[in-house]
Amino acid sequence: QRHVPMITVVQHTVEVPQVEYVDEVVQVPVQKQVHVPMVQTQQRHVEVPQVEYLDQEVEVPVTKHRHVPQIEVRQQTVEVPQVEYIDKVQEIPVQKQVHVPMITVFQRQVEIPQIEYVDHHVHIPVQKHRHVPVVNKIQKPVE
């Protein structure tokens, strides 16, 4: 006797994990770029003229003074120059700060009701009118 191998089919229940995707909406802040001017300092060579003082010694002859006990008072007119000031009014522009409103855009979902039109076909009988010519025979006497 020979043994014939037999195939048996067995069913097993296997749990397969399901993948679930959850989306999260994250607000990203808007970054503005503002150009800021940059101040640069450069070195420059400036020639400064030097002042040289030359001293000359001059011999002054010595004079003898005699004191005379006489006091003399004289009046002398002295002209004093007057300084005149002229003012000029210079307008300085005033900087104003203006409030600029910021526009924020929101998205929201709105349900719009949909209208469905349903057509019903109704059969209406139509009466047909036919025009039938009527022939009238008239006898005319022949002479």
Side-chain angles (χ1 to χ4, degrees), residues 117-123:
Y117 292 101
V118 179
D119 292 340
H120 292 289
H121 293 283
V122 178
H123 179 72

Side-chain angles (χ1 to χ4, degrees), residues 42-104:
Q42 293 183 348
Q43 292 186 353
R44 194 167 63 175
H45 294 289
V46 178
E47 293 184 8
V48 179
Q50 298 293 326
V51 178
E52 182 179 354
Y53 293 101
L54 292 176
D55 293 336
Q56 284 185 338
E57 293 184 10
V58 176
E59 289 191 25
V60 178
V62 178
T63 57
K64 292 184 178 179
H65 294 285
R66 281 193 219 168
H67 290 290
V68 179
Q70 185 180 8
I71 298 174
E72 183 180 337
V73 177
R74 284 192 296 162
Q75 286 189 351
Q76 196 173 13
T77 305
V78 178
E79 290 188 13
V80 179
Q82 296 293 323
V83 178
E84 181 181 353
Y85 291 102
I86 300 175
D87 291 339
K88 180 179 178 185
V89 177
Q90 185 72 32
E91 290 191 20
I92 299 173
V94 178
Q95 293 185 356
K96 292 183 179 179
Q97 290 186 353
V98 179
H99 177 71
V100 178
M102 201 166 169
I103 298 174
T104 310

